[in-house]
Amino acid sequence: NSALVGPSEGVRLRFLDRRNDQEVEFVIIIGKQGSDISPDDALDYIAGYTLGLDMSLRGPEDRSFRKSIDGYAPLGPWMVTADEIADPDNVPFKGFVNDELRQDAHTKDLIYGIRRLIEFASACYTIYPGDVYFTGSPAGVGRVKPGDVIRAECDLIGAMEVPVQAHQ
């Protein structure tokens, strides 16, 4: 929970001596509890969608120790309800750093489509209302530093600008 912040709070880099990368991702917000959900029923469990930054700290530690650092998962600009996106497996989105296009992505290119992701996750554990699933990061991930501005945008959701700062 401490990783999630709003876009205006920005990302506060805690490890300036290491590489910190931006990863713009399409995010699912769960609306109903379930487990062992079939792909045919998966979309019934979604409350809505948003965009997120799944910031990554690079280093020798296992990935689980380099993700979800305090403030490293901004969400926004807001949630659109599930009925506003007819096919979540057909959504283009983009990521910019200082107005340079770094990620030109599409949910159709994800390793697991949205329905399969919910099927897989719910086979492992119960999903609950309010759970958020970052769906994966397309090509274009790259280093950011204090002073940069990350922009995530999707025509179906909106855009958010996230300032990158040093942790105080």
Side-chain angles (χ1 to χ4, degrees):
N1 289 338
S2 65
L4 296 175
V5 295
S8 63
E9 189 168 330
V11 173
R12 299 183 196 301
L13 301 180
R14 297 173 80 85
F15 303 94
L16 296 176
D17 59 331
R18 296 178 54 188
R19 182 174 161 162
N20 291 266
D21 288 355
Q22 104 291 337
E23 299 182 23
V24 174
E25 299 188 22
F26 184 74
V27 176
I28 302 166
I29 302 167
I30 299 300
K32 151 172 121 167
Q33 182 176 330
S35 63
D36 294 316
I37 299 165
S38 75
D40 291 338
D41 295 331
L43 297 185
D44 296 338
Y45 289 80
I46 297 174
Y49 306 97
T50 193
L51 296 172
L53 288 177
D54 186 15
M55 300 293 295
S56 293
L57 177 67
R58 301 301 181 198
E61 303 87 2
D62 183 78
R63 183 184 308 187
S64 61
F65 291 107
R66 296 181 286 113
K67 295 281 193 174
S68 299
I69 296 168
D70 288 351
Y72 269 43
L75 288 178
W78 41 70
M79 181 186 91
V80 298
T81 57
D83 63 321
E84 294 180 76
I85 295 181
D87 183 2
D89 288 317
N90 188 23
V91 178
F93 59 99
K94 295 181 179 181
F96 299 81
V97 176
N98 301 327
D99 294 323
E100 172 194 347
L101 179 63
R102 290 220 184 144
Q103 295 176 273
D104 190 359
H106 205 288
T107 58
K108 70 181 177 188
D109 297 325
L110 294 171
I111 293 170
Y112 277 4
I114 304 306
R115 291 165 183 85
R116 173 71 177 112
L117 178 63
I118 292 173
E119 175 192 34
F120 178 79
S122 72
C124 299
Y125 43 81
T126 302
I127 63 173
Y128 291 97
D131 285 352
V132 294
Y133 288 90
F134 285 68
T135 59
S137 195
V141 169
R143 185 177 203 152
V144 293
K145 60 190 181 329
D148 288 341
V149 176
I150 303 166
R151 187 173 78 248
E153 63 182 46
C154 173
D155 289 344
L156 299 174
I157 296 172
M160 67 173 176
E161 287 196 351
V162 180
V164 180
Q165 306 155 19
H167 179 72
Q168 303 281 342

